[in-house]
Amino acid sequence: MTQYRHEWKHQIDPSDCAAVRQRLRAIACADAHAEGGQYLVRSLYFDDSFDTALREKLDGVNRREKFRLRYYNGDLSLIHLEKKSKWNGLGSKFSASLSLQEAGQLLSGRLDWMMDSGRPLVQELYHKMKSRGLRPRTIVDYTREPFVYPPGNVRVTLDYNIRTGLGSTDFLNPGRITIPLPGAPAVLEVKWDQFLPAVIQDAVQLRGRQAAAFSKYAACRVYG
């Protein structure tokens, strides 16, 4: 059964980041997987020839999905295939691990191994690459600071230094140069299960800021 979570997403600026960071450090825990409190994320998003994932995001389609590959801190020993789904404002994520060899085969168009992988998400991507023409579209890089708060299973992230690959799909090259988005946007994201504790609501409140459907993928696709 799919587990959907509530999500808030706000586009913020560097001064907002500093304010929220200070509050969260007083009440929440840093994610145990974040060395020094942060990590670098590289993603490669898929879309079809009609840019369906992009258009559905921009149009606010109620039920939508997108596929991506992802690794952290330039470490190619663990690559994730992920599918993000949205339904009625709720979000879910499915994930499967890929080896470097598998990711290389996928990106070079050698797909036959995917059907025998024994991983349903890999098989689903295979079918959609074959039937809908899904293919890699662009790299998105950014720095993430994650915080967790156990009551409500809350996860708060600050994402900044968002960079676009300008249409490049050279995902497996950690040295691939990416370009900062103009205006240096940052994103505050809050996810929780059944309830959002008041202490977290207070910590993430920013005067004059409203929840906004900011998409790193859409913002980076403007450039390729």
Side-chain angles (χ1 to χ4, degrees):
M1 181 177 178
T2 302
Q3 177 65 49
Y4 285 96
R5 279 163 58 82
H6 298 270
E7 296 185 1
W8 277 356
K9 191 178 289 189
H10 307 253
Q11 183 176 345
I12 59 177
D13 61 31
S15 64
D16 296 329
C17 264
V20 173
R21 179 186 297 116
Q22 184 175 11
R23 297 174 200 162
L24 289 173
R25 284 176 174 171
I27 60 171
C29 303
D31 189 313
H33 299 291
E35 297 180 9
Q38 64 181 35
Y39 48 79
L40 304 179
V41 182
R42 168 160 288 185
S43 299
L44 176 66
Y45 286 88
F46 289 71
D47 214 334
D48 58 26
S49 58
F50 301 103
D51 288 332
T52 299
L54 176 62
R55 293 179 181 276
E56 289 182 346
K57 174 62 180 179
L58 296 176
D59 293 341
V61 172
N62 183 54
R63 191 163 196 161
R64 60 186 187 271
E65 67 180 25
K66 61 176 177 281
F67 285 84
R68 67 191 180 202
L69 298 180
R70 173 169 287 188
Y71 59 85
Y72 301 93
N73 295 326
D75 182 5
L76 295 173
S77 67
L78 182 57
I79 299 169
H80 303 271
L81 167 64
E82 298 178 345
K83 182 178 80 167
K84 289 273 291 182
S85 299
K86 293 283 286 187
W87 179 68
N88 283 341
L90 302 175
S92 68
K93 183 174 75 174
F94 295 91
S95 182
S97 297
L98 299 181
S99 69
L100 177 58
Q101 180 183 15
E102 289 171 337
Q105 290 177 327
L106 191 164
L107 296 178
S108 66
R110 292 173 293 176
L111 309 180
D112 291 345
W113 64 272
M114 298 173 72
M115 279 307 299
D116 298 321
S117 68
R119 284 159 281 175
L121 186 60
V122 175
Q123 294 166 337
E124 181 181 353
L125 178 61
Y126 172 85
H127 284 297
K128 290 179 177 175
M129 292 181 78
K130 289 292 189 179
S131 64
R132 291 177 40 197
L134 284 188
R135 62 184 178 89
R137 296 307 296 262
T138 195
I139 293 169
V140 178
D141 287 342
Y142 57 92
T143 299
R144 166 163 285 181
E145 289 186 44
F147 298 86
V148 294
Y149 189 78
N153 190 23
V154 178
R155 180 176 174 84
V156 183
T157 54
L158 297 169
D159 297 339
Y160 50 87
N161 192 25
I162 303 169
R163 305 170 68 90
T164 173
L166 298 173
S168 170
T169 58
D170 192 15
F171 173 72
L172 298 178
N173 175 11
R176 169 70 194 184
I177 299 299
T178 52
I179 307 301
L181 291 184
V187 181
L188 165 64
E189 203 168 297
V190 186
K191 299 180 181 179
W192 70 97
D193 288 344
Q194 298 302 317
F195 71 98
L196 182 62
V199 65
I200 296 294
Q201 294 186 48
D202 292 341
V204 300
Q205 287 299 317
L206 294 165
R207 182 174 298 178
R209 302 290 183 189
Q210 299 295 325
F214 183 89
S215 165
K216 301 180 194 75
Y217 169 58
C220 290
R221 274 298 308 280
V222 170
Y223 303 95

